[in-house]
Each structure stands twice: as structure tokens, then as C-alpha cells.
Amino acid sequence: MISLRIISRLLEYPDQALWQGKAELLAALNEANELSSMQQVALGAAIRWRCAGRLLDAQAEYTGLFDRGRSTSLLLFEHVHGESRDRGQAMINLLEHYRQAGLQLNSYELPDHLPLFLDFLSMSSPKDAQEWLASIAPILALLGARLHQRNSGYAPLFDLLTQLSGSQARSQNLLPKVREEAPDDTPAALDAVWEEEQVRFMVEQGGCSDAAAKQHQRRFTGSVAPQYLDVGAAAPQGRGSE
């Protein structure tokens, strides 16, 4: 699916090459036969939006959206496992699928990074790509809803991905829930999450008593916490057992 390769590029950190490749992306869009005419128009608008304006502004926007807090992280397993040990096994399973497809990662790439995952899907058959997309559709819809809540130009890309998945998951259906979420990208929220991880690590290593952990939890009652998504066996890591 050519559209997945285009969306993957748009979801990467903006660089000068993206600006220079605008015409190439628009030309490739004409070959994306998996898209309806309306979907082609929507993706074309997203390309023009992302490749407009100052590069530094686009980079600052990207960092503010995807690198601060967890609610809009592009690391898929962050929304399923957080920092639990299950995430490691899910990574291993996904890496095996990448190797079988001939996709080589460098040492700096995390396999659950959405742009990389979409690159993998663009190399798969349309049927397999749709099945994989359907398996993460709840995550995509949730991310899309949170981006719509922030009036982000990236939101339509997630709407398009959920449409291509063939699932019934839609960002619009999650907006009421998302509007009730506390922001997790404020300095206080980031500090709370950091301290929570420190206490969890100390408990696991035997360096923090249960009483201390409970005291910490009481202290941060009402603070922002990571919003994890329970997608059960539908998450991509479930395919590792195939």
C-alpha cells in the first residue's frame, strides 16, 4: 500500500528532505489505488499542510506532540504495556516479523515506532497490511482522538489509517472520553510520571518498602498517569505466536 509509505514519511520527524520531497509524495499519491478519491484528497491536503511553513516550526510542533508525555506517543506498545516487561517480549516478536520481511533496523530504531511499523506494512500484501492495521486500530483511533482534541493537522492521518484498517474504530467516537483526560505533557505531569517510575523500579529491586510505595501513591492521587489501552490479544504482539 503506497499510502502507508506516504503516511509513514509524514509521521517521521520533519526534515529538509521532506520539504524537498513534497512533489514526489504528491506524485506517489496518484498511484495509491487503495484510496478512494476523497481519501486521496485528504492525504494530499495532509502532505501540503506538513510541507508548508518553516521547518523549525514543524519540528517544534512534532516534538511537542509526540515526544512530551505518553498520550500521543508514536510508540505503539507504550499504549498497551507502558514500561512493563511484557513490552520487551512484544518487541522481540515484532522484530522477528521485520526480519522475515527483510526489514533491517539500525540500533537507534524501536520496532514499535509507528512510522517504522507502517513502512513494514507497506512491504506486506494488502490483506496482511489490513489485518495488522486492524490489530492496532483501537490505538490509532485513540491517538487520532487526542490529536483532534489538540486541533492537530496530524489527526486526519490517523482517521485515514483506521479507515484503511477496515475496523469500526473511529476517533470521533472516543472524543467524549478524551475530553475528560487530564493533560500529561505539563511539567507537573511529567514529574509525577518520572517519580512513579522511580518508585516502581525501587520496589522491583527491593529498595523501597510497600509502605513507602503506598505513601507515594497517596501523594500523587489525582495526578496525571499514563493512559494505557487494553486491547488484549488484538495488539500486534499477539501475532508473534503465529
Side-chain angles (χ1 to χ4, degrees):
M1 288 188 178
I2 296 175
S3 59
L4 298 183
R5 181 67 60 86
I6 295 173
I7 295 173
S8 169
R9 186 67 184 95
L10 294 175
L11 288 176
E12 291 175 354
Y13 183 74
D15 55 18
Q16 192 62 46
L18 176 61
W19 260 240
Q20 295 171 347
K22 174 183 175 181
E24 184 179 347
L25 289 175
L26 289 171
L29 183 59
N30 295 324
E31 301 176 20
N33 298 324
E34 67 272 16
L35 300 181
S36 68
S37 58
M38 291 184 63
Q39 289 171 334
Q40 285 190 338
V41 169
L43 186 50
I47 294 172
R48 294 183 179 89
W49 163 77
R50 184 61 295 167
C51 297
R54 297 175 64 248
L55 177 59
L56 288 177
D57 291 338
Q59 291 173 336
E61 178 185 14
Y62 185 95
T63 300
L65 278 174
F66 301 125
D67 295 340
R68 287 177 60 86
R70 289 169 164 167
S71 64
T72 53
S73 171
L74 294 181
L75 298 174
L76 295 171
F77 294 145
E78 177 68 45
H79 302 282
V80 182
H81 301 298
E83 299 300 326
S84 74
R85 295 177 181 177
D86 291 338
R87 183 177 183 181
Q89 185 58 52
M91 295 276 203
I92 293 172
N93 294 343
L94 190 53
L95 274 172
E96 183 57 30
H97 284 287
Y98 288 173
R99 293 192 184 100
Q100 292 176 8
L103 183 61
Q104 299 296 322
L105 275 66
N106 64 45
S107 58
Y108 300 102
E109 293 179 300
L110 291 175
D112 63 335
H113 191 229
L114 181 56
L116 178 61
F117 184 69
L118 293 177
D119 259 348
F120 161 64
L121 296 191
S122 72
M123 301 165 57
S124 306
S125 68
K127 180 178 181 294
D128 287 345
Q130 186 178 52
E131 288 180 356
W132 277 102
L133 280 177
S135 74
I136 63 166
I139 302 174
L140 297 173
L142 184 59
L143 286 169
R146 288 168 174 165
L147 291 168
H148 275 297
Q149 175 69 6
R150 301 186 186 196
N151 296 315
S152 170
Y154 284 104
L157 296 178
F158 289 84
D159 293 339
L160 184 53
L161 288 173
T162 55
Q163 292 167 19
L164 291 173
S165 75
S167 77
Q168 298 301 311
R170 292 293 183 270
S171 299
Q172 289 77 6
N173 297 335
L174 298 175
L175 279 173
K177 172 187 174 182
V178 166
R179 292 190 182 103
E180 296 177 356
E181 292 180 342
D184 71 342
D185 57 349
T186 63
L190 294 172
D191 287 345
V193 171
W194 181 83
E195 291 200 33
E196 184 67 36
E197 291 175 348
Q198 286 290 97
V199 169
R200 186 185 306 116
F201 173 79
M202 293 178 68
V203 170
E204 291 176 354
Q205 299 299 315
C208 181
S209 67
D210 289 342
K214 290 178 180 178
Q215 181 179 4
H216 171 87
Q217 291 169 354
R218 286 194 297 271
R219 176 185 174 193
F220 286 99
T221 298
S223 296
V224 176
Q227 300 296 312
Y228 298 134
L229 186 66
D230 181 11
V231 296
Q237 72 277 12
R239 297 179 65 111
S241 60
E242 293 179 1

